Structures are given as structure tokens and as C-alpha cells.
Amino acid sequence: MNVRRFTLPALSGTAALAIVALSAGAASAHVTVTPNVTSAGSYAVLTFSVGHGCEGSPTTKMTIAMPEEIPSVTPTVNPNWSVEKVAQKLDKPIKDAHGNEITERIAQVVYTAKTPLVDGYRDTVELSVQLPDAVGETLAFPVVQTCAKGETGWTETAAEGQDAEELEHPAPTVTITEASAEGHHGGAASDKKDADHEETSNGKVSANDRGTNDNGGVAVVGLVAGLGGLALGGLALARTRKA
């Protein structure tokens, strides 16, 4: 996996290409993205799917543009494709979720087919990212699909009030939703479990421990009652024999 870097002027040229659909002819199906989660601030795996070429021509490359809100990305290796991350220098450094300073971001991820994907056959590639804390925001991931003959730019985004279904070559999008209890590495559930463990280690009894102790008390009472019953039975038998 290689990381290629280019300057802002070069990126501007690429962005200009992404404004319009670069197509030798309309493809017969969209390039789509499916996130496994959409919660704000969560770590998500984005699955990009392609199933058709450009007017029947086999797909040779997919260039995925990353939104500025996502500075870093971890592409999943697909044995059918080689993958390259294209970096862009930032005007001003930013901080990541862990407080580290970032001076460049990944602007594009390029998957190149080792063997062209024949029209009518489907394949997927995956990107691991951290979604921003921006509930309600829709992130666009423009994709340029390059084929053996021609290419199609899935780069159009809906204007305000426009129905995305009206777009001929819509860019794949993800809309951020409310953070879930497990949005940050399953944070809430893990924190509760850790808190219960900490209380126990500090001499405090957790709810689970209390349940265990209560069950032990019931068992002791049952044992005492059973021994008492045996004693009374033995006494009654002794009196019967004496009589």
C-alpha cells in the first residue's frame, strides 16, 4: 500500500473534475456506499459497491474522494485490487480524536483492479473511518469509476430542496445520526462494566455480587431446615420403637 502526496493546486484540478459526471456514457447502476453504523463520533466501516461498468466496459479503477470532515482513513485490503492513499497537505494543522497534531489528510483512496471487473459482476471495497460529531450532516464520497473504455463520475450532490433521486450520477452519501450508547468503541457498556469491577475491587459489592450472596444465604437456610427435619424424624422413630 502506497501513500502518494500532492499539493493543493493539484487537488483543485481533481475537484474540478468531480463537479461534473465524467462519462463516456451513463453506467447502468450506481456506485453506492453502505455504512455499518452512522452514529456521530463512531468508528464505521464504509462498504462501496460497484456492479456495472461504463456502458458495458469492464471497471479498472475506483477513485474515492474523502470529505474534509474525515482526515484519516484505513482502507481494507481486497485481493482483487491494489490500493493507494493520496495525501493532501493541510493549510493549518488540526487535532485528531486523541489530541495528536495532523498536518495532512487523506484526500483520496484509489483502488485499481488487478483484473478488470467485467460488467454485470459485483465487487466491494471497504474503508474504516471515524465519523465526525455532526448529527444530521450528510457526507458525500464522490467516486470516479474508470473503465477500460471511458469513465463515469458518481459525483453529483443534491442542492438544497432537491431530491437526490433526480440526480443522474449521485455521489455516495452517509448521513450522521445521534450517537448510540456504543458509539465510541462500545463506550457506555464498557464503562459500566469497568465501573462495576472497580467497585468490587475497592471493597464495594456490585449488583451481581449481591445477587450471588443472596443466593448463598438461601442455600444455608435450606440446609439448616433440612437438618432440622432429619432430627425430628429421628426423634419420632425412636419414640415409636420405645412404645
Side-chain angles (χ1 to χ4, degrees):
M1 184 184 299
N2 299 320
V3 177
R4 174 161 53 91
R5 294 173 173 78
F6 60 93
T7 59
L8 285 173
L11 180 63
S12 298
T14 303
L17 293 176
I19 295 176
V20 296
L22 303 179
S23 174
S28 54
H30 298 172
V31 172
T32 60
V33 61
T34 304
N36 67 329
V37 295
T38 58
S39 305
S42 65
Y43 287 85
V45 175
L46 311 179
T47 301
F48 291 82
S49 174
V50 58
H52 289 270
C54 313
E55 286 197 339
S57 181
T59 299
T60 58
K61 183 189 297 185
M62 284 194 296
T63 302
I64 305 170
M66 302 299 297
E68 293 183 358
E69 295 85 348
I70 300 178
S72 63
V73 55
T74 303
T76 300
V77 174
N78 183 319
N80 300 322
W81 306 72
S82 61
V83 61
E84 178 185 19
K85 296 192 291 187
V86 180
Q88 170 203 350
K89 190 76 173 179
L90 295 174
D91 290 334
K92 295 181 180 180
I94 61 175
K95 298 285 186 180
D96 65 11
H98 305 287
N100 301 315
E101 185 177 273
I102 298 177
T103 59
E104 63 181 23
R105 76 179 188 93
I106 300 302
Q108 294 178 337
V109 177
V110 182
Y111 278 93
T112 303
K114 295 178 181 179
T115 300
L117 180 65
V118 178
D119 178 58
Y121 285 84
R122 178 178 177 273
D123 204 350
T124 60
V125 296
E126 295 180 340
L127 305 180
S128 176
V129 302
Q130 183 177 18
L131 301 176
D133 283 316
V135 177
E137 183 173 347
T138 297
L139 303 177
F141 297 82
V143 177
V144 174
Q145 177 188 6
T146 303
C147 299
K149 293 182 179 180
E151 62 183 14
T152 301
W154 302 99
T155 58
E156 298 177 353
T157 56
E160 186 175 356
Q162 183 183 13
D163 186 354
E165 296 295 331
E166 299 175 356
L167 301 175
E168 185 177 2
H169 299 97
T173 59
V174 173
T175 299
I176 309 300
T177 59
E178 291 283 352
S180 65
E182 299 185 0
H184 300 268
H185 293 298
S190 298
D191 291 345
K192 184 180 186 303
K193 185 176 180 181
D194 292 342
D196 288 344
H197 174 74
E198 183 177 354
E199 284 188 3
T200 304
S201 63
N202 289 335
K204 299 179 181 179
V205 180
S206 67
N208 290 336
D209 292 335
R210 283 193 295 271
T212 302
N213 291 340
D214 289 345
N215 291 337
V218 172
V220 171
V221 172
L223 179 59
V224 172
L227 291 175
L230 288 174
L232 291 175
L235 180 59
L237 180 60
R239 286 179 179 177
T240 300
R241 287 179 176 177
K242 185 177 180 179

